[in-house]
Amino acid sequence: MLQFLKYVLATFVGIILFIFLSFFILAGIGSVLSSDDEVTINEKSVLRLDLNQPIAEVGVENPFSDLGGMFSGNDDVVGLKDIIAALKNAQADNKIKGIYLKTENPQAGWATLEEIRKQLNEFKKSKKFVVTYGESYSEKGYYLASVADKIYLNPVGGIEWNGLSAEYSFFKGTFDKLDIKPLVFRVGEFKSAIEMFSRQDMSEASKKQSIELITAINDNFLKNISASRGISVEQLKGLADSLAIENPKAALQYKFITNVGYQDELDTYIRRELKVEDKKDISFVGVNKYLKGPSKVEEGDFNKRIGVLVAEGEITSGEGSDESIGSEKFVKELKEIRENDKIKAVVIRINSPGGSALASDVMWREIKLTAQKKPVIASMSDVAASGGYYLAMGCDTIVAQPNTITGSIGIFGLVFNVTDFMNNKLGITFDGVGTSPHADWPTATREMTDFEKAMIQKSVNEGYETFTKKAAEGRKMSVEKLRSLAQGRVWSGVEAKENGLVDVLGGVDDAVKLAAKAAKLSEGDYRVRYYPEKKKPFDEFFEKVMGDEEEKLTSKNLGELAPYVKMYRKLMNMGGMQARMPFELVIK
């Protein structure tokens, strides 16, 4: 009996403790979710710009990160929109005396870095300091760091300075071992998106376009660093070729950095710039917190808006996801923008390698309908290629960064014959009946006839004709000239501007100004609003938790096979005709 009472008492105490802890956890969550109070910025503050994390067009904030424990693993994705807004506000904010950059290895594309770099240079016009410290810098990291007044490098750190490279992955050998036969249908000599399935190396056409692309990006990279550091482009190239920046001492010798030192030495420098005591804590403020403080940038008339519709990720039919552009969701959002009389002009902000040709065409149509009612400007980010370019060509004007990856005007189709794989590896065979010889066409479980293959190629040819005809109309050039620039070829923003595929070199701010001008709005007379609107923190958090949980379960159950399952899912999303740039292009 005594033992029974002991268990009852222990259970009772456990329940009380659970209720007590739950109350405090929920109270903490509630306080985070309801913390809309304006943040007070201290005098002599420094904006801490941590770019060593994923950077997307619109950020994803984990509102519970300060709670620690189980909540701290859900990292933020910082938004380019928020970074630019914070820099603009800090430039006009007397309480912000400078910027501390953390940019050793930013996880972003080259055009995104261009936007940030340009705004950092604008910030420097305020005569406030910009400093950075790194244990090591990738070339992307150094591209941003080179803007700083003071660049500190750890005494045993380093800078990657060996030129840019483009790397592709090829899976033909994998498919050969698995007895899977990819059937590829394409138009365009340069449409290399399918080479990963059909080859074990790059074709000559792919090598040609790739070297021209990374050379154009590298030229812009070197030109800007040369202007910031006072080192000639020729010398920068020579230092990369000779691998001369081998250690911090060499980086200092060649003026890549201003100081070899540790974090505490940079902190001492910042305190002196702030004119505060050596032992006093520096008042650092991050982007998300800072944007909750008072705005120093005046907004225009709420009834005169420029709507920026973000199209980021692969293009798919349906609703899409956080990592893709769903045609149904995009069309719905754009239609609401078109019918909102308070929105006077639209910027389509594109960061996409393409995807479904059908979904691209559906969204193109909605863009054209919107352009009949109000100005529509395309703003290209890191990538606006193939299906991404399909969206841009429906706009009145196309704006791209010099290092934007664009073009890739072409179509391909892909079907996998898995008959031998299923039979030889798994012992599974297929048989069936139909009311006509081609009732199961297209199929992955038998060898298709030459006639059936020809029909798929015919569809791809027709898709290419549609794509290039609409692109020619949008660019106001002959179909013949457009097709000479097409064939799936990828271009940098600079090259695209020279050949007429792009109108203006610049960033999203330039696109907004062009949209305002087209809508006859004066500077300062309008405000900019991004769509779709940012999710509520609570919804964002639980979607992320569930997504992370699914990822963990996949990794746990499949182990080393997990990455291949992820790749398989990507392949399954490539059903039907695709308007997609070279798959998984990595420039580093």
Side-chain angles (χ1 to χ4, degrees):
M1 185 67 178
L2 186 62
Q3 191 72 11
F4 173 74
L5 289 174
K6 185 196 296 184
Y7 285 130
V8 170
L9 182 60
T11 303
F12 179 74
V13 170
I15 291 172
I16 294 298
L17 285 173
F18 173 77
I19 294 172
F20 184 75
L21 290 173
S22 297
F23 172 78
F24 278 99
I25 290 172
L26 290 173
I29 291 174
S31 66
V32 170
L33 291 176
S34 61
S35 60
D36 293 328
D37 295 338
E38 193 174 86
V39 171
T40 300
I41 306 300
N42 297 329
E43 297 288 344
K44 297 184 178 182
S45 289
V46 176
L47 179 63
R48 180 187 174 98
L49 200 57
D50 186 353
L51 304 178
N52 292 328
Q53 55 187 311
I55 303 172
E57 292 296 323
V58 178
V60 178
E61 182 183 356
N62 171 19
F64 308 105
S65 57
D66 291 340
L67 296 178
M70 63 174 288
F71 302 105
S72 59
N74 300 287
D75 297 330
D76 294 342
V77 175
V78 65
L80 175 62
K81 164 184 171 289
D82 294 335
I83 293 170
I84 301 302
L87 286 171
K88 287 180 178 179
N89 203 64
Q91 186 174 352
D93 190 346
N94 291 330
K95 291 184 177 181
I96 297 294
K97 301 303 180 182
I99 289 175
Y100 169 41
L101 270 176
K102 285 183 63 66
T103 177
E104 293 159 293
N105 188 26
Q107 298 172 48
W110 287 101
T112 294
L113 301 182
E114 195 77 22
E115 298 264 4
I116 298 170
R117 199 176 192 278
K118 179 183 176 182
Q119 201 59 51
L120 284 167
N121 276 319
E122 281 295 313
F123 175 86
K124 289 179 69 175
K125 292 178 181 179
S126 66
K127 305 300 180 183
K128 301 175 183 181
F129 65 80
V130 178
V131 297
T132 181
Y133 164 83
E135 294 182 354
S136 63
Y137 289 103
S138 66
E139 276 159 319
K140 282 184 175 181
Y142 184 71
Y143 190 49
L144 294 180
S146 63
V147 176
D149 306 304
K150 291 289 182 180
I151 305 173
Y152 278 70
L153 180 62
N154 186 285
V156 292
I159 295 177
E160 179 186 18
W161 192 259
N162 55 357
L164 303 186
S165 64
E167 187 174 274
Y168 301 80
S169 298
F170 296 89
F171 296 92
K172 184 180 183 301
T174 302
F175 288 129
D176 288 346
K177 289 182 178 181
L178 294 175
D179 289 332
I180 296 175
K181 299 175 184 176
L183 300 177
V184 175
F185 309 88
R186 69 172 179 174
V187 180
E189 177 188 5
F190 295 95
K191 199 63 183 174
S192 54
I194 47 73
E195 289 186 357
M196 64 180 295
F197 309 116
S198 60
R199 297 177 60 94
Q200 292 182 318
D201 57 6
M202 298 169 68
S203 66
E204 288 305 312
S206 179
K207 285 182 180 179
K208 174 180 170 60
Q209 72 168 347
S210 296
I211 191 62
E212 290 180 0
L213 173 66
I214 65 171
T215 298
I217 292 174
N218 191 52
D219 287 347
N220 183 72
F221 168 71
L222 295 177
K223 180 188 73 175
N224 289 336
I225 288 179
S226 174
S228 293
R229 304 307 311 157
I231 310 170
S232 71
V233 169
E234 291 71 24
Q235 186 179 8
L236 290 171
K237 287 182 178 178
L239 293 170
D241 294 344
S242 62
L243 300 179
I245 310 301
E246 57 183 336
N247 54 41
K249 183 179 178 181
L252 183 63
Q253 176 187 344
Y254 291 109
K255 300 179 182 178
F256 272 59
I257 61 175
T258 59
N259 298 79
V260 175
Y262 292 94
Q263 176 75 62
D264 63 279
E265 293 176 285
L266 174 63
D267 290 346
T268 297
Y269 172 81
I270 293 174
R271 288 189 182 93
R272 288 174 184 171
E273 287 293 301
L274 296 175
K275 296 179 181 177
V276 299
E277 297 175 7
D278 288 345
K279 294 183 179 180
K280 185 175 181 180
D281 289 339
I282 300 170
S283 180
F284 288 115
V285 57
V287 169
N288 288 327
K289 182 179 179 181
Y290 180 61
L291 289 178
K292 293 173 184 175
S295 176
K296 302 298 180 181
V297 179
E298 291 186 11
E299 291 188 303
D301 190 341
F302 180 78
N303 294 315
K304 297 177 183 177
R305 300 181 220 160
I306 305 295
V308 180
L309 179 56
V310 176
E312 184 170 29
E314 295 186 9
I315 295 173
T316 65
S317 295
E319 282 293 308
S321 67
D322 288 343
E323 297 178 353
S324 65
I325 311 163
S327 58
E328 285 184 18
K329 186 176 181 180
F330 181 92
V331 166
K332 180 182 177 182
E333 196 80 43
L334 187 52
K335 186 176 181 181
E336 290 177 0
I337 289 172
R338 182 171 70 246
E339 294 175 353
N340 188 337
D341 293 334
K342 293 179 181 179
I343 300 174
K344 306 302 181 183
V346 184
V347 172
I348 308 293
R349 177 66 171 174
I350 305 165
N351 195 5
S352 172
S356 165
L358 173 59
S360 300
D361 191 71
V362 168
M363 292 188 283
W364 169 88
R365 171 63 178 172
E366 204 64 28
I367 291 170
K368 293 293 288 184
L369 290 175
T370 304
Q372 293 173 11
K373 189 170 182 179
K374 55 188 71 174
V376 182
I377 310 296
S379 172
M380 294 179 167
S381 185
D382 298 319
V383 182
S386 210
Y389 190 82
Y390 211 118
L391 304 187
M393 71 192 192
C395 301
D396 304 321
T397 304
I398 300 177
V399 181
Q401 288 285 11
N403 45 20
T404 293
I405 299 172
T406 188
S408 191
I409 300 171
I411 298 284
F412 71 89
L414 186 64
V415 178
F416 291 95
N417 184 343
V418 298
T419 307
D420 291 340
F421 167 70
M422 300 299 283
N423 185 12
N424 299 339
K425 307 298 182 183
L426 303 178
I428 299 173
T429 57
F430 301 90
D431 199 1
V433 296
T435 58
S436 69
H438 312 294
D440 62 343
W441 173 84
T443 177
T445 57
R446 66 170 173 82
E447 186 72 34
M448 285 191 286
T449 67
D450 290 342
F451 170 72
E452 290 173 328
K453 293 176 184 177
M455 291 300 292
I456 294 178
Q457 185 62 54
K458 180 173 179 290
S459 295
V460 171
N461 293 345
E462 290 171 351
Y464 181 71
E465 288 181 13
T466 299
F467 193 167
T468 52
K469 182 180 177 182
K470 289 179 176 179
E473 290 173 356
R475 302 313 303 148
K476 296 180 175 58
M477 66 173 66
S478 68
V479 174
E480 291 73 23
K481 181 180 178 182
L482 189 285
R483 286 180 181 165
S484 72
L485 303 171
Q487 301 187 58
R489 181 162 183 170
V490 174
W491 306 92
S492 70
V494 170
E495 296 169 313
K497 171 69 166 57
E498 291 172 351
N499 63 35
L501 293 178
V502 162
D503 297 300
V504 178
L505 293 180
V508 66
D509 279 354
D510 299 293
V512 167
K513 289 175 183 176
L514 285 171
K517 184 178 180 181
K520 297 183 170 66
L521 298 175
S522 303
E523 188 174 349
D525 192 33
Y526 60 88
R527 66 174 60 186
V528 179
R529 188 164 180 179
Y530 277 70
Y531 301 88
E533 294 182 355
K534 201 170 183 178
K535 293 178 182 176
K536 294 179 180 178
F538 194 80
D539 295 336
E540 190 72 68
F541 171 73
F542 278 103
E543 281 187 22
K544 186 164 175 49
V545 167
M546 294 307 294
D548 288 348
E549 195 61 34
E550 183 181 354
E551 189 82 18
K552 288 175 184 176
L553 283 173
T554 301
S555 299
K556 180 180 178 181
N557 293 333
L558 298 175
E560 294 180 357
L561 293 176
Y564 300 101
V565 171
K566 193 173 182 180
M567 175 60 71
Y568 171 78
R569 288 174 178 172
K570 280 193 174 184
L571 294 177
M572 292 305 99
N573 286 333
M574 294 174 68
M577 285 193 297
Q578 296 289 305
R580 184 188 295 266
M581 70 167 286
F583 202 88
E584 299 292 347
L585 172 62
V586 179
I587 298 177
K588 57 184 181 179

